[in-house]
Amino acid sequence: MDTGRGLKVVVVGATGNVGTGVVEALSNEPAVAEIVGVARRPTEWTCPKTTFTVADTTTDDFRPIVRGADAVIHLAWLFQPTHRPEVTWKNNVLGAISVFEAAEAEKVPALIYSSSVAAYSPGNSDDRVTENWPTHGWPGAAYPREKSYLERCLDTLELRNPDMRIVRMRPYFIFKRESATSQRRIFVGPLLPGNLLRSGLLPVMPLVEDLRFQVLHTSDVADAFARATVRPVHGPFNLATEPPVDGSFLAEMFSARKIPVPRTALREALRAAWHAHLVPASPGLLDTVLQLPLLDSTRARAELDWTPRYSPSEILSEFLSGLRDGTGMPTAPLAPDTAGRRIHEVATGVGQRP
């Protein structure tokens, strides 16, 4: 990379939860001179050093967009429509490959891709896995299948391009206040009463065996992406915080009584709600979460000098505040909550729209 003139970075998927955070982090990085933010839909959001362009990875030629870039960061992803996995495959897998191939053809020196904990094979214990854990995913849901497939695509890309610096970020679940409404739409749907999500108002909290996960604040994830952009690192990096979140953690947070709930009962309830188009998250996605390993982030801390600033309790408190207030940002993916938007979600089919 030519650091003398300052770096030009193209961010594909620049207006979502992670994208807005990454663009903000890059704008504060002295080594970065220019940011090109790419999104499927126009945005009113602005950020220093950044120009936005509208392009779709499934239909547009990305070679002109990435030409002359010092780094391409690929974040674009669709979780919906969950009832039509061929649509998410076209965007998430084929669209990503088109960006990878454009970066390869234009000889972009660095490609930084947002993979996921979901790319990993199931874990059988509370042990934290490192980046050498198998990335075969879980076949029962589109999200892990797609993330795992793209890991194989990047394996091949690395073999073809030994001089290209390829970084794979594998974060756990990512939240910020401004992403709350978007994630409510993506995973829970319009029937969630956000004003009830406060301490003392939930009488019970279900305890589900093996339901535990790690969380991250978007700004901490974005900081890791910015560090990987300007440092000569390559390969995969786990991103997570401690301690993990489980039913006991949430029960204490909400001052709720703990009630054991069988996994099968929770899955059947979700299956019925998903088939009835009451919630967008599929039962396969629940199965994925129940089998995810916990992550060891030692490599990111050592090679990126990365230290997350937010604790799990701080992250979830901020996120829940956003849910209660219907918070968002002036971008299409992060549009704030309104009664009209909730009605539109129901009218167009919960979990049906990309």
Side-chain angles (χ1 to χ4, degrees):
M1 294 185 185
D2 181 6
T3 57
R5 60 174 171 77
L7 302 178
K8 176 181 178 180
V9 184
V10 176
V11 181
V12 183
T15 58
N17 175 22
V18 180
T20 51
V22 168
V23 168
E24 287 176 339
L26 291 171
S27 72
N28 292 320
E29 172 54 57
V32 174
E34 179 184 359
I35 306 163
V36 177
V38 186
R40 288 191 303 122
R41 292 165 286 186
T43 181
E44 298 176 2
W45 181 61
T46 61
C47 193
K49 303 181 184 177
T50 307
T51 57
F52 288 94
T53 186
V54 176
D56 190 322
T57 60
T58 65
T59 56
D60 292 310
D61 180 6
F62 267 70
R63 287 192 62 172
I65 296 172
V66 305
R67 188 168 295 148
D70 296 290
V72 171
I73 300 177
H74 185 70
L75 309 168
W77 201 265
L78 290 182
F79 282 94
Q80 294 180 2
T82 52
H83 290 267
R84 297 176 58 200
E86 72 279 5
V87 175
T88 59
W89 180 271
K90 181 179 180 181
N91 180 88
N92 298 341
V93 174
L94 302 185
I97 291 172
S98 74
V99 174
F100 299 165
E101 291 178 343
E104 178 184 28
E106 293 298 325
K107 301 188 184 305
V108 176
L111 173 65
I112 303 167
Y113 162 65
S114 182
S115 186
S116 168
V117 61
Y120 283 121
S121 300
N124 297 317
S125 70
D126 289 332
D127 293 340
R128 276 68 173 160
V129 305
T130 61
E131 288 82 358
N132 62 1
W133 191 258
T135 53
H136 302 312
W138 168 252
Y143 182 63
R145 287 197 304 267
E146 292 163 356
K147 288 294 187 183
S148 177
Y149 189 90
L150 285 174
E151 291 276 351
R152 303 289 77 76
C153 294
L154 289 175
D155 291 343
T156 303
L157 188 67
E158 283 183 327
L159 291 173
R160 290 201 307 260
N161 301 274
D163 294 331
M164 188 183 210
R165 188 170 67 84
I166 298 177
V167 177
R168 314 179 199 197
M169 292 297 191
R170 295 175 184 158
Y172 231 102
F173 302 152
I174 308 167
F175 304 97
K176 65 179 175 181
R177 175 177 166 81
E178 295 83 359
S179 72
T181 294
S182 171
Q183 288 165 318
R184 192 271 302 155
R185 284 193 295 261
I186 291 171
F187 298 111
V188 186
L191 304 182
L192 177 71
N195 58 346
L196 295 181
L197 297 176
R198 63 181 76 242
S199 179
L201 292 184
L202 290 178
V204 298
M205 179 61 63
L207 293 183
V208 181
E209 182 184 3
D210 293 332
L211 181 55
R212 66 189 185 284
F213 52 90
Q214 291 162 294
V215 297
L216 291 148
H217 194 280
T218 304
S219 64
D220 286 332
V221 174
D223 177 52
F225 272 89
R227 290 170 183 265
T229 301
V230 301
R231 296 181 180 220
V233 297
H234 61 87
F237 289 92
N238 289 343
L239 301 176
T241 57
E242 297 287 349
V245 174
D246 58 13
S248 295
F249 185 105
L250 294 173
E252 182 177 348
M253 186 173 182
F254 282 101
S255 300
R257 187 161 58 93
K258 296 178 282 190
I259 300 293
V261 174
R263 292 173 56 169
T264 53
L266 179 61
R267 190 185 190 283
E268 285 305 304
L270 179 59
R271 184 187 66 81
W274 182 69
H275 281 291
H277 295 273
L278 298 177
V279 297
S282 70
L285 197 57
L286 173 63
D287 292 338
T288 302
V289 173
L290 289 170
Q291 298 178 82
L292 291 177
L294 299 177
L295 297 183
D296 180 325
S297 301
T298 300
R299 184 174 189 235
R301 295 171 187 267
E303 297 190 26
L304 298 176
D305 293 327
W306 176 76
T307 301
R309 294 171 295 170
Y310 290 84
S311 69
S313 59
E314 290 171 330
I315 295 164
L316 294 179
S317 293
E318 179 182 317
F319 176 73
L320 291 171
S321 172
L323 275 179
R324 291 193 295 269
D325 296 340
T327 307
M329 290 179 66
T331 74
L334 301 182
D337 214 352
T338 65
R341 284 198 174 96
R342 289 198 181 220
I343 292 171
H344 184 68
E345 289 174 55
V346 174
T348 56
V350 175
Q352 292 280 40
R353 292 175 58 84

